[in-house]
Amino acid sequence: MSDSARIVIIGGGVGGASVAYHLTQLGERDVVVLERDELTSGSTFHSAGLVGQLRADPTLTRMNQYSVELYRTLDAGWTECGGIKLASTPERMAEIRRQIGWARTFGLPLEEISVAEAVELFPLMDPEGVVGAAYLPTDGQIDPSQLCYALAARAREGGATIRTGTRVLGIDVVNGRVTGVRTDQGDIACEIVVNCGGMFAAEIGRMAGVRVPIVPMSHQYVVTDAFHDHTGLPTLRDPDLLVYYRQEVQGLVMGGYERTCAPWTAGPNAYDSVPADFNGRLLPEDWPRLEEIFDNSRTRVPAMADIGIRKLINGPEAFTPDNEFCLGETEVAGFFVAAGFCAHGIAGAGGIGKVMAEWIVEGEPSMDLWHMDVRRFGRHYRSPSYTLKRAVENYETYYDIRYPGHERSAGRPLRVSPAYAWHAAHGAVFGEKSGWERVNYYATNDDGGGERPAGWAGRLWSPAIGAEHRATRTTAGLFDESSFAKIEVTGAGAAQLLEWVCDNRVAREVGAITYTQALNRRGGIECDFTVTRRGEQEFLIVTGTAFGSHDLGWLRKQAAHNGSTVRIADVTGQYACFALWGPRARDIVKELTPDPMDFPFMSSREITVGDVPVLALRVTFVGEHGWELYCSSEYGLALWQALWRAGEPYGLVAGGYKAIDSLRLEKGYRVWGADIGPETTPYEAGLGFCVKPDKDFLGRDALDPAPERRLRCVTLSDPTAVALGNEPVRLDGRVVTRVTSGGYGYTARESIAYAYLPAETGAEVEIEVEGAWVPGTVVKTPLVP
C-alpha cells in the first residue's frame, strides 16, 4: 500500500464512495478510500433505499434533487416510482400543503392528490381515516449496495484507490493539522482525512481529538413474502401512523419510527462505540419493539395482518441530535466529516459527495450548509449523555409535525443566564438554542389583545408577544441576551486580521462599534456581527446565539491562512448581556448611573449601572433607542434586578425573543441563516452600506454592486396570513423565489415577509400561505419610524 496520498477517506459506504467519486470529478487523483471490511458492510447494506427529495431545509432539498439526477445515470437499480405522503389528520394535511408550496420554489412537481387517486396509485392501502395526500412522481427507490458499488466504480475510473480489509488504528495530528493515518496495513501520510465512518464516525473522530456527536440507533423494517401482482408501486409514507412502505418484488418493505427507540451502545458510558468485529452484521430481531409499528401498518395496508414475513432487518443507523447531517471541516485543519446520515443518507448521498468535494477542493461548499455543518454543535455536545438524550428524542419524534416555535425538551435546562431564576418566577416561557434557555415571552404579559395569526403561525402564538412588542415601541423593553455569542480577538495583528476578514472598516477609534459581514471568496456572507474596538489590539465580536461556533471557526481558519498568531477566544459565558430599548430607556438608566449616557449610536463606554461595572454598547436590533449592557456574569442577576426596579415606575416590560423578531422585521434588520448567508452578497441583501471597496478584504473582488436580485420587504394584504419562511413568491403569475423570513409587525399592523426579488421588481407580488395565494406589496423599510 502506498505510504502517502493527498486525501484519505475513511469508510467504504455510500458516503465515502460518493465523496471519492466527486473528488475525482473535480480533478483529484491522489485519493485513497480505506474500508475496514468490504464495501457497504456498515449501515449501507441494510438501508431501506427510499429516496425522497423534499425537506424543510432548502439546501438539503437541492442536494437530494442532485442525488436523483445522478442516480438516473448509474447502473444501480434506480426505480423512479414516485412517492406518496398521506395525511391522516387535518393538521398533517396543513403541513402537506405547506410542503407543496415549498416544492414549487425548487421546481419539484409535488402535487396534492385526492384519497381516491392515492388508492389508485397504491391499491394495497385502506383509505379509511385518510384526509388527503401529496404525490411526487420523481421520488423513488434504489438498491443501496448497488449504489455504493456504482459510485466506487466511478471513483476508480477517475483515479481513486479503494482499499478494503484495511482498519484505521489512528490519525496523526501535528500543530492542529492532520498529517497522516495509521492502519493495520501500514501508515499513510496525507494532507486531508475525510471521516465517512457512518456509525463508526464518533470513534474515528476521537482518533483525531474531535467529537462527532452521533448515536447508532437500532432501526428495524420487515420484508414480506410475495402477496400481490402490482408493478411500479410508489413509496408510501403515513407519518401519522409512523410507517413507510416500498415495493420489494411482489412483496413490501415496511418500517417506521417507533415511540420507544433503542440506542445501540457498547461499553460503559461509551454511547457511540461499536464493537470492533461488527462488520456486515445485523442486530438481533426485536419484535416487541416493532409491535406498535406493525399494528399501525395493518391499519393502512390490511394485508399486513395475514401475509408472511420473510425477514426482519434490524440494523444500526447513525443519528445526530437534530436529524441533520454532520458535514464539513472540523477544528482540526484538514480533518473533514461526512457522517450522521440519520436513515436518509441514501437520498442525500449524491448531494453529500458533491458538496463535500467542493468543500475539500475549493475551501468552501457552493451551498449554504450551516444546518448540516459539524461546527453547529457546541461544546456541550462533547457530552455523550447529552448527545444521547437529544438523539433519542429526535428519533422518537421523527414523524412529528414541527410547528413554528416547536421546542425540544431533552437535556434541559443546561445553559442558563444569571437571571434565569428571575425569568422563571415571572412567568417566562422558555425556548432553547445552542443549549441556552432563552425567554420566548412571558405568559404574565398576556393582555388578551391582538388578533391571532391564522393557521400555523397561530399554533404556538401568545398575545404576550404583541404586548412586549408594543411596550418596547411606546415605553421600554428589557431583554436578556446573555446567550449571544461573544468572541474576543486580541494580540498584535488583531486589527490587521479583522480588516482582512470584514467588509466594513473595523479598526477605528477605541470604543467604536462596527456592524459588518465576513465574506467568503465568492462574496457570500459567511458571518454577520458587530465588532467593538476595546483597545489598540483588543476587539469584541458579538454574534447570534447559534452562530458562535461557526464564526469562531471561520475567524480561526482565516487567521491560520494568514499566518496570524492572534488570540481568538469564545468568551460567551463570561458575560451577561441585557438589552434595554425604548423611548424611556434613557430615563431608566439615568436613575442608576452617574455616567453621562450621551455617547453616540454605534459607540461604547465603560460605565456603572447601580453597583455593577458595565460595558454599554449603543446598538439596537429593534430600532429603538437604548443599549446592550454587558457585565461579568457574577454581576448579572444584580444588574437585571437593578434595571427592573428602576424601570417599573416608567412602565418597563420584560420581553422575549419572539417580540425581538417582530420588532426587527418592521425595521428591516436581517437574520443570518435566513435572510442572509453564504449564498447571498451584501449588495443583494441591502447591506452595501457596510462594504468599503477602497480597502482589501476577503471576497471584495467577487462583489457586484449592481446585482440582479435584492432582498425586498413585502406586506401581505391579509394581516392574518403570516408567512414563516420558504413559502413560494409569485411575480406576474410565475414562481420566482421563496420567503426568507416573515412574521407579524404589531406596530405596523402588517403581515411582513422578506424575499429576494429581481432588482427591477414592480410593486405587486403574491405569496402562497398554506395553499392560498395572498397578494403582497413590495415596500420600503423601515415600516415604522
Side-chain angles (χ1 to χ4, degrees):
M1 186 168 66
S2 173
D3 60 1
S4 67
R6 179 170 134 72
I7 302 170
V8 171
I9 298 170
I10 303 174
V14 69
S18 183
V19 172
Y21 163 63
H22 286 89
L23 282 169
T24 64
Q25 289 294 102
L26 294 182
E28 294 288 341
R29 298 291 179 264
D30 196 6
V31 178
V32 175
V33 179
L34 303 179
E35 165 54 46
R36 58 193 276 157
D37 192 56
E38 297 296 329
L39 295 182
T40 82
S41 63
S43 296
T44 297
F45 82 94
H46 58 71
S47 296
L50 279 70
V51 179
Q53 296 168 83
L54 184 65
R55 295 291 189 272
D57 176 43
T59 300
L60 182 53
T61 299
R62 289 156 60 196
M63 289 167 61
N64 289 353
Q65 286 180 277
Y66 170 79
S67 292
V68 168
E69 293 172 7
L70 174 63
Y71 299 168
R72 288 168 177 156
T73 72
L74 300 175
D75 182 15
W78 167 249
T79 302
E80 198 158 316
C81 55
I84 299 173
K85 184 174 183 179
L86 300 178
S88 298
T89 62
E91 292 79 10
R92 184 70 67 178
M93 197 63 226
E95 178 192 51
I96 285 176
R97 288 183 175 131
R98 284 175 55 81
Q99 292 171 341
I100 290 171
W102 299 346
R104 289 195 181 97
T105 69
F106 304 109
L108 281 172
L110 181 67
E111 60 184 73
E112 183 174 341
I113 60 174
S114 68
V115 177
E117 289 172 315
V119 173
E120 185 178 353
L121 288 165
F122 198 96
L124 301 175
M125 67 173 275
D126 181 349
E128 180 69 26
V130 178
V131 299
Y135 176 60
L136 183 56
T138 55
D139 277 354
Q141 61 189 64
I142 196 167
D143 183 293
S145 293
Q146 288 187 47
L147 172 62
C148 183
Y149 280 106
L151 290 168
R154 287 201 175 184
R156 287 190 180 100
E157 291 170 4
T161 300
I162 298 177
R163 300 288 184 185
T164 57
T166 304
R167 186 180 297 269
V168 173
L169 305 176
I171 297 171
D172 295 326
V173 177
V174 177
N175 295 327
R177 182 168 193 92
V178 70
T179 60
V181 174
R182 286 175 277 119
T183 82
D184 59 358
Q185 304 297 316
D187 298 345
I188 306 175
C190 61
E191 301 174 27
I192 292 168
V193 172
V194 190
N195 178 0
C196 296
M199 66 179 127
F200 305 96
E203 178 183 352
I204 295 166
R206 283 195 293 272
M207 295 179 184
V210 169
R211 170 67 178 160
V212 181
I214 64 164
V215 176
M217 305 290 288
S218 166
H219 184 68
Q220 298 189 118
Y221 63 86
V222 298
V223 182
T224 75
D225 289 336
F227 71 98
H228 65 83
D229 57 3
H230 299 288
T231 59
L233 289 176
T235 61
L236 181 72
R237 293 176 175 86
D238 190 337
D240 293 307
L241 291 178
L242 311 177
V243 295
Y244 61 79
Y245 310 82
R246 73 162 173 83
Q247 184 164 359
E248 176 71 10
V249 195
Q250 302 311 123
L252 290 177
V253 164
M254 184 282 295
Y257 293 86
E258 67 277 9
R259 297 293 188 189
T260 53
C261 69
W264 184 54
T265 62
N269 300 319
Y271 298 118
D272 45 26
S273 293
V274 178
D277 62 347
F278 197 84
N279 302 314
R281 291 167 50 190
L282 296 171
L283 301 174
E285 297 177 349
D286 189 353
W287 283 101
R289 189 163 53 82
L290 193 67
E291 185 174 354
E292 177 187 18
I293 301 296
F294 204 83
D295 288 345
N296 289 353
S297 78
R298 294 196 292 262
T299 299
R300 190 56 59 226
V301 178
M304 293 293 296
D306 303 314
I307 57 178
I309 302 301
R310 185 153 55 89
K311 56 185 174 181
L312 184 152
I313 305 296
N314 185 5
E317 300 268 5
F319 274 74
T320 63
D322 60 2
N323 201 39
E324 298 282 1
F325 302 151
C326 274
L327 306 180
E329 191 171 14
T330 69
E331 64 269 28
V332 173
F335 186 69
F336 289 78
V337 174
F341 293 168
C342 306
H344 48 265
I346 300 301
I352 289 168
K354 180 178 186 293
V355 299
M356 286 298 299
E358 293 169 347
W359 210 327
I360 293 164
V361 174
E362 301 170 8
E364 58 201 36
S366 61
M367 300 181 185
D368 178 4
L369 293 176
W370 172 240
H371 294 298
M372 300 170 231
D373 194 319
V374 67
R375 293 172 295 173
R376 73 188 182 276
F377 293 112
R379 288 182 296 172
H380 47 294
Y381 281 101
R382 294 179 185 175
S383 163
S385 63
Y386 185 81
T387 301
L388 177 65
K389 292 170 188 173
R390 284 286 163 134
V392 165
E393 181 184 38
N394 173 66
Y395 186 100
E396 293 181 345
T397 61
Y398 187 90
Y399 275 141
D400 283 8
I401 297 173
R402 300 280 188 258
Y403 293 114
H406 168 84
E407 299 285 350
R408 297 202 177 275
S409 59
R412 295 177 59 184
L414 182 62
R415 306 174 77 183
V416 299
S417 157
Y420 174 76
W422 189 99
H423 302 321
H426 287 76
V429 176
F430 291 100
E432 178 268 333
K433 183 167 283 189
S434 293
W436 280 96
E437 294 296 318
R438 311 194 320 165
V439 179
N440 280 339
Y441 57 87
Y442 294 86
T444 47
N445 288 332
D446 183 345
D447 59 4
E451 185 175 1
R452 178 181 293 273
W456 275 49
R459 286 281 178 174
L460 301 177
W461 174 84
S462 168
I465 301 167
E468 293 165 9
H469 172 121
R470 290 187 291 269
T472 305
R473 289 275 188 250
T474 58
T475 55
L478 181 62
F479 302 89
D480 188 341
E481 296 183 338
S482 297
S483 68
F484 274 17
K486 309 161 194 86
I487 301 169
E488 286 183 347
V489 182
T490 58
Q496 181 180 3
L497 172 66
L498 289 176
E499 282 295 309
W500 163 250
V501 168
C502 299
D503 61 352
N504 207 340
R505 187 164 285 106
V506 298
R508 298 159 55 213
E509 67 276 10
V510 173
I513 303 171
T514 305
Y515 171 52
T516 185
Q517 296 76 47
L519 310 183
N520 56 39
R521 60 182 179 80
R522 302 187 311 275
I525 301 171
E526 283 289 343
C527 313
D528 180 72
F529 46 53
T530 61
V531 181
T532 301
R533 189 169 197 174
R534 303 198 64 189
E536 287 302 313
Q537 298 294 344
E538 182 181 355
F539 296 83
L540 175 67
I541 292 173
V542 179
T543 188
T545 301
F547 310 139
S549 58
H550 172 278
D551 294 0
L552 185 74
W554 183 260
L555 290 166
R556 286 176 171 168
K557 181 177 181 178
Q558 304 316 312
H561 284 177
N562 287 4
S564 178
T565 58
V566 300
R567 177 178 178 268
I568 304 173
D570 181 354
V571 295
T572 300
Q574 296 179 27
Y575 297 98
C577 172
F578 306 130
L580 177 65
W581 291 313
R584 304 307 299 272
R586 185 182 297 275
D587 296 327
I588 295 169
V589 172
K590 283 171 63 177
E591 299 280 339
L592 297 169
T593 182
D595 297 295
M597 300 298 290
D598 57 354
F599 51 99
F601 185 59
M602 298 303 286
S603 66
S604 65
R605 183 174 291 175
E606 299 275 359
I607 63 172
T608 59
V609 176
D611 299 331
V612 178
V614 165
L615 172 65
L617 272 58
R618 178 76 170 83
V619 295
T620 181
F621 195 56
V622 301
E624 296 295 329
H625 176 81
W627 300 268
E628 288 180 355
L629 304 172
Y630 293 79
C631 69
S632 185
S633 288
E634 69 269 23
Y635 295 109
L637 180 58
L639 177 59
W640 180 272
Q641 291 176 327
L643 291 165
W644 179 251
R645 286 192 296 266
E648 280 190 293
Y650 295 94
L652 177 67
V653 170
Y657 279 86
K658 298 291 186 182
I660 290 177
D661 191 54
S662 173
L663 290 156
R664 72 94 189 167
L665 283 167
E666 292 182 337
K667 291 292 185 175
Y669 298 146
R670 280 62 167 138
V671 171
W672 193 87
D675 303 310
I676 56 178
E679 296 183 65
T680 57
T681 71
Y683 289 113
E684 291 175 326
L687 299 174
F689 63 91
C690 292
V691 179
K692 299 297 182 284
D694 58 337
K695 76 180 187 98
D696 192 19
F697 59 86
L698 178 61
R700 182 190 67 173
D701 295 342
L703 293 178
D704 180 359
E708 295 181 356
R709 62 171 190 164
R710 293 185 184 273
L711 187 64
R712 300 295 194 191
C713 179
V714 178
T715 56
L716 280 68
S717 63
D718 179 359
T720 68
V722 176
L724 300 166
N726 289 336
E727 292 87 353
V729 181
R730 195 161 66 181
L731 179 64
D732 297 329
R734 183 172 61 90
V735 173
V736 295
T737 188
R738 63 180 180 87
V739 171
T740 59
S741 69
Y744 185 75
Y746 293 90
T747 303
R749 305 190 69 167
E750 299 271 12
S751 176
I752 305 166
Y754 287 85
Y756 283 91
L757 291 162
E760 304 304 322
T761 299
E764 302 303 321
V765 298
E766 294 174 289
I767 296 177
E768 186 181 13
V769 180
E770 299 187 28
W773 286 101
V774 182
T777 302
V778 179
V779 297
K780 293 183 178 180
T781 54
L783 296 179
V784 297

